Amino acid sequence: MLFHRVKPLDKILENAEKKSLHRQLGALQLTLLGVGAIIGTGIFVLTAAAAQKAGPGMMWSFVIAGLVCAVAALCYSEIASMVPVSGSAYTYTYAVMGEVLAWMVGWALILEYAVAASAVSVGWSGYFMGLVKSATGFELPALLSAGPTWSFAGGIPSVDFSHGVFNLPAVVIALAVTGLLMIGTTESARVNAALVAVKIVALIAFIVLTLPVLNGAHFEPLAPNGWFGNGGGSGLGIVGAAASIFFAYVGFDAVSTAAEETKNPQRNVPIGLIGSLALCTVFYLLVAAGAIGAIGAQPTGLGVQPGSAEFVAQCKALAAQGQQPLVCSNEALAHVLRMIHHERVGDLVGLAANLALPSVILMMLYGQTRIFFVMARDGLLPESLADVHPKWKTPHKVTLITGIFVAIAAALFPVGQLADISNSGTLFAFFMVALAVLILRVKDPNRPRPFRTPLVWVVSPLAILGTVFLYFNLPFDAMIVLPIWGGIGLLLYFMYGYRKSQLAPGNASE
């Protein structure tokens, strides 16, 4: 009977229909919206980790991740246009496949949003400390500027504190953004537009300055770790890097969820989605080519996972010899520009990252609290978590809890590991959405669809296979987190949500 607890689409849409939105967005506006939402953390932060995993072959990694994202985005758009309400993939799954799977998706979305916010916080920390060092010469002790390194050899976690203990700047920015979100400070459209412009100008400046000094010899060998590294679970190679780089494309759902406000969504939503993903892919390829072509990928060692104790030790040994390879940098793009004697522009790119990344943290935290809020409203989490502060008018309790969780993760894990864990939750959510689209086509073929996924019986299976393929090419520790996290989630569901759900016998409202 568990899978019969389905919240009908008509009930979900009742509230949404009371406040319909004006259709005013065209294809160009949607494309720019997508570019602004997608470009950010991944390209600024993960370029170094991708270079270590794939070498120059990371350019293929961007293409693979972009293609998987494109087919997932087309599936996401259909169901987002049918259910234009809060809750994202959690709400869609609740409407199609029932409460248990909806809970699992909502629980996985915590890995997507909260852990992603931690990853961005760590990425911001690297750029901030690099900018401070360049401007003043000041450096925090290593023990306070990086978290420990983690290893999961044989499935048993071990931690090494010799290279870092606590990432203080990452904690400060995570808690600062949490505080702003709690008291109701949100970014205005103008501020957001300005930050998007800052990000794009910074990337264009990077491309213009690095491509003229491109050295073809730096692209050989193309794939030092091969296509699959040491096989599934290694997280290395071109495909392993693609699974990590998937993080750089997340954000396209800003286009999907704008379907209700789009003129002629059947035409303009796919243009906005594919257009923004294509533009971002071109940007990413040019940035990757500039970074590698200018100073080389320079992996520290074949088969060495970025963020591991061995990787950190090799980077320290190279630094002692006066070498600063791209793969060892915490601020990859600024580092490349400084290495080719554009120190001031490198500082400006670092400043752009410092300005833009906190807004991404805010968006991630906001999205997470939104999911929690909807789950609490459905009775699957304690209703008190959804309490709104009498003065600030925000869900302050769940925001504070989420912010503390984000800060702790940011303090203790490297950025690449956090991004991979976040990707495991994202890929699971996208897998469920692609499956839900097919199920709805069979169960409710006549329901109005403002946007219909083209060639759905080709596109949706490709999205399902693509997400599974990337998931199984994540590092083993990131893969294992999802089932462990899911098991904890199921335990909590049967201890609380199963009995307290609004759809539980005796609780359902008439």
Side-chain angles (χ1 to χ4, degrees):
M1 294 297 291
L2 287 175
F3 294 95
H4 292 242
R5 285 192 189 176
V6 176
K7 182 173 283 191
L9 271 176
D10 293 327
K11 181 178 256 188
I12 292 174
L13 289 169
E14 274 179 19
N15 292 331
E17 288 173 357
K18 293 175 185 175
K19 295 182 179 180
S20 60
L21 297 171
H22 178 58
R23 295 191 183 277
Q24 57 185 342
L25 299 177
L28 178 62
Q29 292 162 304
L30 275 181
T31 301
L32 294 177
L33 176 70
V35 169
I38 294 167
I39 286 182
T41 314
I43 192 62
F44 280 104
V45 175
L46 292 181
T47 303
Q52 171 64 17
K53 290 186 174 190
M58 73 172 177
M59 296 181 69
W60 277 112
S61 305
F62 279 115
V63 174
I64 294 169
L67 289 174
V68 173
C69 228
V71 288
L74 290 172
C75 297
Y76 204 106
S77 294
E78 173 166 315
I79 204 160
S81 70
M82 295 172 68
V83 195
V85 296
S86 297
S88 183
Y90 160 76
T91 301
Y92 311 153
T93 308
Y94 211 154
V96 179
M97 290 180 275
E99 186 172 277
V100 174
L101 291 177
W103 166 268
M104 294 302 295
V105 169
W107 194 242
L109 286 174
I110 297 172
L111 291 182
E112 176 181 348
Y113 287 108
V115 179
S118 300
V120 182
S121 299
V122 177
W124 180 90
S125 170
Y127 272 94
F128 177 74
M129 292 313 301
L131 186 62
V132 169
K133 180 183 177 182
S134 178
T136 68
F138 173 76
E139 284 186 90
L140 272 178
L143 297 181
L144 291 178
S145 59
T149 54
W150 295 78
S151 171
F152 292 83
I156 301 173
S158 61
V159 60
D160 180 359
F161 290 99
S162 60
H163 304 296
V165 175
F166 190 85
N167 194 327
L168 181 60
V171 171
V172 170
I173 192 63
L175 293 180
V177 173
T178 300
L180 287 173
L181 202 54
M182 284 177 65
I183 63 176
T185 301
T186 58
E187 34 178 11
S188 69
R190 287 182 181 177
V191 171
N192 188 55
L195 291 175
V196 169
V198 165
K199 290 188 291 187
I200 292 175
V201 168
L203 292 183
I204 290 174
F206 179 87
I207 292 166
V208 168
L209 292 173
T210 55
L211 289 187
V213 297
L214 185 148
N215 183 347
H218 289 156
F219 292 89
E220 298 175 0
L222 180 67
N225 285 317
W227 280 85
F228 293 94
N230 301 321
S234 72
L236 296 170
I238 290 174
V239 177
S244 296
I245 281 173
F246 191 80
F247 187 83
Y249 286 96
V250 174
F252 68 79
D253 53 330
V255 177
S256 304
T257 52
E260 191 185 4
E261 302 172 73
T262 302
K263 294 180 289 187
N264 191 7
Q266 186 62 33
R267 171 186 176 273
N268 289 334
V269 168
I271 292 175
L273 277 170
I274 303 303
S276 59
L277 286 167
L279 274 174
C280 290
T281 301
V282 171
F283 257 114
Y284 290 173
L285 288 174
L286 290 173
V287 169
I292 294 167
I295 67 171
Q298 299 164 287
T300 63
L302 299 183
V304 178
Q305 188 69 240
S308 65
E310 184 182 0
F311 174 83
V312 174
Q314 289 188 14
C315 283
K316 281 196 170 185
L318 290 169
Q321 299 169 19
Q323 299 181 43
Q324 296 178 298
L326 169 66
V327 298
C328 294
S329 176
N330 291 324
E331 36 157 8
L333 305 192
H335 171 72
V336 170
L337 290 172
R338 293 186 187 119
M339 290 290 288
I340 59 173
H341 310 298
H342 292 290
E343 289 84 359
R344 295 287 73 83
V345 183
D347 289 347
L348 290 174
V349 168
L351 180 61
N354 274 282
L355 291 172
L357 295 184
S359 70
V360 181
I361 301 170
L362 188 145
M363 290 168 64
M364 297 290 183
L365 281 172
Y366 182 77
Q368 176 56 71
T369 56
R370 211 175 197 178
I371 298 294
F372 267 140
F373 186 87
V374 175
M375 292 174 76
R377 192 174 62 190
D378 288 339
L380 300 182
L381 290 170
E383 194 174 346
S384 61
L385 288 178
D387 287 350
V388 175
H389 193 279
K391 180 181 178 181
W392 299 332
K393 309 299 182 187
T394 60
H396 58 293
K397 292 180 181 178
V398 72
T399 303
L400 179 60
I401 292 169
T402 304
I404 291 172
F405 173 83
V406 166
I408 291 171
L412 299 177
F413 289 92
V415 61
Q417 211 160 34
L418 289 167
D420 287 337
I421 292 170
S422 173
N423 283 345
S424 69
T426 307
L427 289 167
F428 176 69
F430 288 178
F431 169 86
M432 295 298 289
V433 168
L435 191 59
V437 167
L438 290 182
I439 292 173
L440 265 181
R441 283 291 185 102
V442 174
K443 287 177 58 178
D444 200 352
N446 299 319
R447 180 172 289 277
R449 288 167 169 81
F451 172 78
R452 294 176 68 89
T453 302
L455 300 173
V456 68
W457 293 101
V458 175
V459 169
S460 190
L462 280 176
I464 291 169
L465 292 173
T467 52
V468 170
F469 176 65
L470 289 186
Y471 172 77
F472 281 106
N473 279 281
L474 288 169
F476 175 78
D477 52 327
M479 274 198 293
I480 201 67
V481 165
L482 184 64
I484 292 173
W485 181 253
I488 295 170
L490 276 177
L491 184 64
L492 291 176
Y493 170 76
F494 285 111
M495 287 175 61
Y496 184 88
Y498 173 68
R499 295 177 293 105
K500 298 290 186 177
S501 166
Q502 287 187 357
L503 298 186
N507 295 343
S509 54
E510 298 299 328

